[in-house]
């Protein structure tokens, strides 16, 4: 059985490449993924990496449209897709990637930039567009927890402003590569310790770097269990982020897009602040966003 | 020519082992160092590592006293030297390390712990004791910049309270292992960018995690030079620390012990806050502290 894709949707991040064979009416006929993330490839290696994954879906006689989002459009990616500047619709620019194979027509969705305070996103704009497609006329704030968590203010279908926090990356570095790794090992988790730490950090966010070392000291002196230590580390970082992002969430209803486990923490912390949170499925938002991009792209042809 | 040590001073940290052959009147006759840091050794490997470095200094007929400070006394070290608890003199406990070679009598200086807020030090207590030996009757605050920077309140010869910040370790992780590594490469440094960032972080310390990603975004969008980016990263982290450590330095005169380059930044930031800073030589403080420990140890025999 062969798959004949009418077009192909691609989510190409730093560590993973995912593709879907799509029909004209928006059904995903097949999907595939590989570890050929943007971080592992030089610019010449993108086309072969894509072909390895999707070659069997291509027509022989006419180019198949490939719509891609994510770090594939970064300076170190396949080709640089210049940012669209806020305020803008989430998917307002496309950049053609250079290809040798005549069966490919690859379009990369531009990321979004904000000049002041300087900020950038690549990939999240597509999840945002997917959320908009599924929730038309929606205005408000979207939180996208991740390695680099984004808070995004939407109005009248446009990204008005956004702010990125390195919380996820800092958690990963501290829990695996700092002195704290001895105290937070394992995957266990204690909800109470998380929420207590969120509270502490929100009420005195400037004490973060001191409280972080305190996790190690509490382990050495008072035998803090790893499940509490791990949840406390995350809670301190998320609490400091919430203190800084307060203008984004105070008095708002928040839509959240991201990995389940990560969103659990953010949602619990926000609900404790009496902020209503609407959870969504991140993969579904990505695919809906790629469909939205394909529709926008077709209109301009 | 052979060296006959009356006793041996040892500074044994996580990554480096340093030793001095000492005479009874406090002169250092010779010194040696190796990369046999505590982090590289199992508990059985400490004695051979020490012997490799100092065997030629030992008398054959009588044990030579070896006084050691630092992570050698940690749980993962040669043997655990239980902490002395605040308030206490900086060097109030010694723990004998188990040895096989009859020419060795190894005493490890205890670190200092504080129960609430939980905190610990190992090694810094010896630099503090060295500073006290050279500045008797001195009261006030000592700042020890490092991987884990310590702020220490001294009174009447005792450590009253202290607080540890992970600033140095976080800088190292972010500048070498996070997305910021692309923007802060090289060793260049711009003083103005550092002091501006200190000011920004002190006035709104909770925004740290957002301002950190801003360094990457400013590079991508506005071509922030690496010298500015690197100084800005350090300034944001030091500024957040100064905001949290304010109770330690406000209205105080500060004595500073640490590596020259690191202290330059802290001192510039404090002087900008009109805080007078007295700089000291870290190696000199360590050796003076080991001499103080030897004197204390001899008194108890």
């Amino acid at each position: 059985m062969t798959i004949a894709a009418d077009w192909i949707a691609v989510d190409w991040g730093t560590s993973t490449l995912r593709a879907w064979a799509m029909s004209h009416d928006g059904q995903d006929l097949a999907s595939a993924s590989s570890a050929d993330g943007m971080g592992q490839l030089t610019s010449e290696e993108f086309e072969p990496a894509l072909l390895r994954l999707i070659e069997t879906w291509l027509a022989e006689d006419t180019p198949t449209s490939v719509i891609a989002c994510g770090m594939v459009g970064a300076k170190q990616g396949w080709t640089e897709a210049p940012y669209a500047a806020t305020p803008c619709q989430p998917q307002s620019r496309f950049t053609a990637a250079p290809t040798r194979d005549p069966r490919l027509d690859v379009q990369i969705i531009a990321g979004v930039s904000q000049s002041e305070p300087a900020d950038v996103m690549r990939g999240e704009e597509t999840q945002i567009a997917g959320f908009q497609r599924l929730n038309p006329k929606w205005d408000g704030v979207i939180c996208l927890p991740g390695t680099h968590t984004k808070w995004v203010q939407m109005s009248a279908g446009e990204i008005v402003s956004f702010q990125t926090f390195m919380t996820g990356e800092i958690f990963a570095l501290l829990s695996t590569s700092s002195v704290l790794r001895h105290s937070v090992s394992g995957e266990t988790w204690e909800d109470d310790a998380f929420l207590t730490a969120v509270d502490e950090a929100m009420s005195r966010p400037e004490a973060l770097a001191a409280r972080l070392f305190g996790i190690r000291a509490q382990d050495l002196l008072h035998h803090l269990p790893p499940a509490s230590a791990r949840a406390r580390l995350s809670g301190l970082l998320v609490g400091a982020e919430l203190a800084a992002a307060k203008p984004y969430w105070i008095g708002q209803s928040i839509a959240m897009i991201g990995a389940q486990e990560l969103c659990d923490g953010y949602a619990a912390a926000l609900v404790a602040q009496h902020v209503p949170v609407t959870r969504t499925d991140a993969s579904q938002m990505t695919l809906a966003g790629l469909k939205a991009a394909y529709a926008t792209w077709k209109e301009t042809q």
Side-chain angles (χ1 to χ4, degrees), chain A residues 26-271:
Chain A
Q27 293 302 304
D28 49 312
L29 310 171
S31 69
S33 70
S34 79
D36 284 328
M38 164 271 194
Q40 280 75 53
L41 304 173
T42 64
S43 60
E44 292 73 31
E45 294 169 336
F46 282 85
E47 186 172 353
L50 181 63
L51 283 170
R52 277 196 294 278
L53 202 63
I54 60 139
E55 192 159 17
T56 59
W57 302 342
L58 297 177
E60 288 301 323
D61 49 352
T62 175
T64 301
S65 289
V66 176
I67 305 288
C69 71
M71 292 301 284
V72 63
K75 199 177 291 183
Q76 300 87 353
W78 189 339
T79 192
E80 187 171 2
Y83 296 105
T86 56
C88 60
Q89 294 190 340
Q91 295 171 328
S92 48
R93 291 181 74 161
F94 297 86
T95 299
T99 49
R100 289 186 186 149
D101 192 310
R103 297 171 297 173
L104 287 176
D105 171 17
V106 178
Q107 300 292 331
I108 300 175
I109 303 163
V112 175
S113 70
Q114 175 178 274
S115 180
E116 187 54 39
D119 216 326
V120 294
M121 67 170 74
R122 277 198 195 277
E124 292 90 350
E125 78 292 330
T126 294
Q127 297 185 309
I128 293 167
F131 180 80
Q132 282 187 317
R133 188 184 166 94
L134 300 171
N135 303 272
K137 309 281 175 201
W138 184 90
D139 269 4
V141 172
I142 303 178
C143 174
L144 301 103
T147 303
H148 299 151
T149 297
K150 313 272 180 192
W151 292 83
V152 184
Q153 174 74 46
M154 304 294 301
S155 180
E158 292 194 325
I159 296 174
V160 178
S161 73
F162 65 102
Q163 189 154 31
T164 304
F165 292 80
M166 290 182 66
T167 306
E169 184 164 23
I170 294 174
F171 177 83
L173 287 172
L174 291 178
S175 62
T176 60
S177 304
S178 85
V179 69
L180 301 184
R181 70 186 185 279
H182 305 297
S183 302
V184 304
S185 55
E187 292 296 324
T188 53
W189 183 270
E190 198 202 277
D191 287 335
D192 284 353
F194 174 78
L195 288 174
T196 302
V198 168
D199 260 4
E200 273 181 48
M202 287 186 70
S203 64
R204 229 188 123 217
E206 77 281 4
L208 185 63
R211 289 220 175 86
L212 291 177
F213 188 77
I215 293 173
R216 179 65 182 146
Q218 281 178 49
D219 175 20
L220 290 171
L221 299 179
H222 309 316
H223 307 292
L224 184 69
S228 304
R230 191 173 183 80
R232 181 165 172 77
L233 173 58
S234 176
L236 290 175
L237 294 170
V238 169
E241 175 178 334
L242 290 186
K246 204 165 188 175
Y248 276 91
W249 55 260
I250 190 105
Q252 295 279 341
S253 166
I254 304 292
M256 196 169 279
I257 308 173
Q260 175 88 29
E261 215 174 298
L262 200 53
C263 289
D264 286 346
Y266 276 85
L270 284 167
V271 167

